[in-house]
């Protein structure tokens, strides 16, 4: 697996950046921060390619974390959701024959995904570093090793996908040899998604001597006839080993991921396989598990995806979830809401407050990230949106951004995020991202994340000291490294961009 990963990194550094394509025209600004700030879109805003994973991997929801110390394990650590580790190739296969199959898909809602973590040096902050899976579905669901949907070698589906991609290229008038390998159908034939959501990392109470970093990750669990999101908890102090909070008798306990239960540790070989440890759901201060509002069939489970930000030694967990009254509505009509919970210690039990609703009736599938703004006593609120124009391929996906007037929760509620009708998801506060897309100019901005300090508040790479922040996102329409269209998740590139925020000039 090392060679494909290295090849991807080299390609990421060498790709001509579609990232640098200009939109044309002069820069345009919009007002935010209670009319005190402005964010300007310009053709020279820094953007680039962050990762081009091989066809057997995916990168989703990246958080880049700046640690307190510049030496190992710092200065930066990267955490993101990825594919679950696959089982070894079948016996007798030639070396490398199935090392990286090209037609993997995320089509099983029970598979889940892995949390990968890796150290990064400052000078390469805009390129995904080598990472290792730290925990995955076996621990999240207690259902045995996870594996992606196994492809057949030289599968008929893979050949058919390539033929259809070439035919779409010819129909679009792009059928020359230089374009034959481009992807024109971004969506795979069957629904495909990462069903596990995201992972959020933040320093523990280091001001009180706590050496651990907390990881809150979303998983899915069976619920009725569908699946439901659930929040689970892990910790690490060296970014190598990782402890998972698991169910015990009585209560819960921290246990190294992959370790057998205590009663199984002395069991002799041949007396049965140890049961997989089952992670304990995070409980709020009332003793209720923190789970998604709705159970949903297949890959439709949503909720709990968000971010954690520490302000005045209080941990703020912001996340979106489906409005409870819309649980039975069609997927495209399930409105979302933004919630907030707070805690004084993310590693202790029963410390999170009940949810407070900050914004109701957001468009379906809305994702949001909230963090304390860099160098300001304001919240920065990033959210999925579409530009207020529609082209022949449909709405133009983007990431929108607003700053609040202050750090009160009410300042988030006061924001106007979308134009009417809200369900359409259009907004004039879009960043104007240029990177990615297919040959027909269609984009997605999925699984976005950003760079933070160890407390989850906005930060930037040292090479961009004057920027307001550093974003990453997955584009499911951008071409894969192998030119195929086998998956809209596996092998799709991840991009990065910065933005500029400044005080609004006083009116003459």
């Amino acid at each position: 697996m090392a060679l494909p990963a290295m090849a991807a990194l080299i390609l990421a550094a060498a790709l001509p950046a579609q990232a640098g394509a200009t939109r044309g025209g002069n820069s345009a600004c919009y007002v935010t921060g209670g009319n005190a700030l402005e964010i300007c879109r310009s053709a020279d805003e820094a953007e680039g390619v962050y990762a081009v994973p091989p066809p057997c991997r995916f990168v989703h929801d990246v958080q880049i974390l700046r640690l307190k110390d510049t030496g190992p394990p710092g200065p930066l650590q990267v955490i993101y959701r990825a594919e679950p580790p696959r089982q070894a190739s079948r016996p007798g296969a030639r070396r490398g024959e199935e090392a990286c199959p090209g037609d993997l898909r995320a089509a099983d809602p029970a598979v889940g995904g892995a949390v990968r973590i890796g150290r990064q040096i400052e000078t390469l902050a805009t390129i995904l570093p080598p990472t290792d899976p730290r925990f995955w579905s076996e621990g999240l669901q207690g259902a045995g090793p996870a594996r992606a949907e196994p492809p057949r070698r030289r599968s008929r589906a893979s050949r058919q996908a390539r033929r259809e991609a070439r035919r779409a290229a010819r129909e679009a008038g792009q059928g020359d040899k230089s374009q034959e390998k481009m992807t024109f159908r971004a969506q795979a034939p069957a629904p495909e998604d990462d069903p596990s959501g995201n992972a959020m990392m933040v320093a523990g109470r280091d001001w009180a001597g706590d050496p651990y970093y907390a990881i809150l990750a979303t998983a899915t669990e069976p619920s009725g006839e569908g699946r439901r999101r659930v929040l689970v908890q892990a910790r690490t102090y060296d970014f190598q080993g990782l402890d998972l909070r698991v169910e015990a008798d009585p209560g819960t306990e921290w246990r190294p991921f992959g370790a057998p239960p205590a009663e199984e540790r002395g069991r002799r070989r041949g007396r049965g396989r140890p049961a997989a440890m089952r992670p304990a759901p995070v409980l709020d201060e009332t003793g209720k598990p923190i789970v998604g509002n709705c159970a949903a069939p297949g890959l439709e489970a949503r909720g709990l995806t968000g971010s954690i930000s520490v302000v005045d030694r209080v941990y703020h967990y912001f996340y979106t979830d489906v409005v409870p009254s819309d649980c039975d509505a069609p997927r495209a009509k399930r409105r979302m809401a933004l919630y907030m919970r707070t805690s004084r210690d993310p590693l202790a039990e029963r410390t999170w407050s009940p949810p407070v609703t900050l914004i109701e009736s957001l468009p379906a599938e809305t994702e949001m990230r909230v963090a304390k703004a860099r160098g300001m006593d304001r919240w920065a609120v990033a959210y999925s949106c579409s530009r207020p124009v529609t082209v022949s391929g449909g709405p133009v996906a983007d990431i929108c951004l607003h700053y609040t007037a202050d750090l009160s929760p009410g300042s988030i509620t006061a924001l106007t995020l979308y134009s009417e009708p809200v369900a359409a998801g259009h907004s004039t506060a879009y960043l104007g991202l240029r990177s990615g897309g297919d040959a027909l100019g269609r984009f997605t901005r999925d699984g976005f994340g950003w760079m933070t300090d160890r407390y989850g508040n906005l930060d930037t790479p040292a090479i961009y000291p004057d920027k307001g922040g550093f974003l990453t996102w997955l584009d499911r329409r951008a071409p894969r490294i192998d030119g195929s269209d086998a998956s809209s998740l596996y092998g799709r590139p991840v991009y990065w961009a910065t933005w500029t925020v400044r005080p609004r000039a006083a009116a003459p």
Side-chain angles (χ1 to χ4, degrees):
M1 295 300 294
L3 289 178
M6 181 58 68
L9 289 177
I10 292 173
L11 179 66
L15 274 177
Q18 245 179 325
T22 61
R23 295 190 315 276
N26 298 324
S27 63
C29 303
Y30 64 89
V31 177
T32 187
N35 295 322
L37 305 172
E38 61 181 8
I39 295 174
C40 295
R41 302 181 289 269
S42 64
D44 59 356
E45 190 67 54
E47 293 191 9
V49 180
Y50 185 71
V52 183
C56 54
R57 292 187 178 180
F58 66 83
V59 178
H60 187 272
D61 192 70
V62 178
Q63 180 188 359
I64 306 169
L65 194 78
R66 183 181 298 283
L67 307 189
K68 180 179 180 180
D69 299 322
T70 57
L76 305 175
Q77 284 284 333
V78 176
I79 180 172
Y80 63 93
R81 295 309 295 251
E83 76 290 341
R86 293 179 295 111
Q87 292 186 343
S89 299
R90 70 179 187 273
R94 295 195 303 269
R95 182 177 177 85
E97 182 181 40
E98 293 182 323
C100 190
D103 50 1
L104 287 175
R105 292 171 41 75
D108 183 354
V111 163
V115 173
R116 297 182 73 102
I117 300 176
R119 181 184 177 230
Q120 182 61 291
I121 60 176
E122 187 72 55
T123 54
L124 295 177
T126 61
I127 299 176
L128 180 71
T131 59
D132 293 305
R134 296 304 182 198
F135 67 103
W136 53 89
S137 297
E138 182 177 9
L140 292 179
Q141 300 178 52
R147 75 179 149 168
E149 182 179 317
R152 290 186 302 169
R153 185 170 146 220
R154 302 188 185 96
S155 72
R156 182 179 301 173
S158 178
R159 294 195 300 271
Q160 179 66 20
R162 294 179 69 86
R163 285 197 296 268
E164 292 181 4
R166 288 194 292 269
R167 182 167 58 251
R170 290 193 296 271
E171 292 173 356
Q174 302 287 336
D176 58 74
K177 291 185 178 180
S178 64
Q179 294 290 336
E180 271 191 351
K181 293 185 178 181
M182 295 289 281
T183 294
F184 292 89
R185 285 190 310 107
Q187 297 300 325
E192 185 183 20
D193 204 348
D194 170 19
S196 295
N198 75 328
M200 303 157 281
M201 184 186 293
V202 66
R205 301 173 66 250
D206 55 4
W207 57 84
D210 190 340
Y212 285 97
Y213 280 76
I215 300 171
L216 295 181
T218 57
T220 63
E221 63 178 7
S223 179
E225 297 182 356
R227 303 189 71 84
R228 187 187 300 270
R229 287 275 178 86
V230 58
L231 196 68
V232 297
Q233 190 177 37
R235 68 179 186 182
T236 183
Y237 68 89
D238 59 3
F239 298 93
Q240 298 298 317
L242 186 144
D243 299 330
L244 200 62
R245 186 182 288 279
V246 300
E247 295 178 350
D249 187 15
T252 66
E253 65 179 4
W254 289 110
R255 188 182 303 155
F257 177 69
E263 64 272 14
E264 301 283 354
R265 293 171 192 165
R267 175 173 287 184
R268 293 171 55 188
R269 295 181 63 182
R271 294 194 177 181
R273 180 182 177 183
M277 57 184 178
R278 179 179 176 83
V282 177
L283 304 181
D284 66 19
E285 62 189 26
T286 68
K288 295 180 179 179
I290 299 179
V291 298
N293 287 335
C294 305
L299 297 165
E300 296 183 13
R302 292 293 182 269
L304 307 183
T305 295
S307 56
I308 300 175
S309 180
V310 184
V311 176
D312 295 331
R313 298 186 176 181
V314 175
Y315 293 79
H316 300 77
Y317 170 31
F318 300 95
Y319 63 94
T320 52
D321 202 350
V322 177
V323 175
S325 60
D326 285 1
C327 287
D328 295 328
R331 176 174 174 174
K333 295 185 179 296
R334 294 174 195 157
R335 296 168 299 165
M336 307 287 283
L338 176 66
Y339 298 94
M340 181 188 73
R341 295 176 184 260
T342 59
S343 171
R344 291 283 181 177
D345 186 352
L347 291 168
E349 292 188 276
R350 301 192 179 193
T351 62
W352 289 101
S353 68
V356 173
T357 304
L358 297 181
I359 303 177
E360 293 183 300
S361 299
L362 296 168
E365 305 286 346
T366 297
E367 288 195 7
M368 302 182 72
R369 305 289 184 272
V370 182
K372 184 178 180 295
R374 187 167 180 252
M376 306 180 197
D377 287 333
R378 304 174 185 270
W379 296 114
V381 181
Y383 55 103
S384 53
C385 68
S386 297
R387 300 178 192 176
V389 295
T390 299
V391 297
S392 58
V396 180
D398 213 313
I399 297 174
C400 288
L401 179 68
H402 263 301
Y403 283 67
T404 62
D406 52 46
L407 284 172
S408 67
S411 66
I412 298 176
T413 305
L415 294 174
T416 300
L417 301 182
Y418 296 98
S419 306
E420 293 291 343
V422 171
H426 296 302
S427 175
T428 58
Y430 64 94
L431 289 174
L433 303 174
R434 310 183 305 278
S435 300
D438 62 12
L440 300 181
R442 299 172 299 180
F443 306 86
T444 74
R445 315 293 189 187
D446 293 347
F448 65 89
W450 49 22
M451 183 173 179
T452 71
D453 62 17
R454 67 187 188 277
Y455 298 128
N457 301 319
L458 288 186
D459 205 339
T460 60
I463 57 174
Y464 296 114
D466 299 325
K467 297 299 182 180
F470 183 87
L471 275 170
T472 63
W473 70 92
L474 166 71
D475 192 328
R476 292 174 178 264
R477 294 188 183 273
R480 297 186 353 150
I481 192 173
D482 65 351
S484 77
D485 201 34
S487 171
S488 66
L489 180 64
Y490 281 87
R492 297 292 174 170
V494 175
Y495 298 91
W496 64 266
T498 61
W499 72 84
T500 302
V501 60
R502 63 194 182 194
R504 188 183 182 194

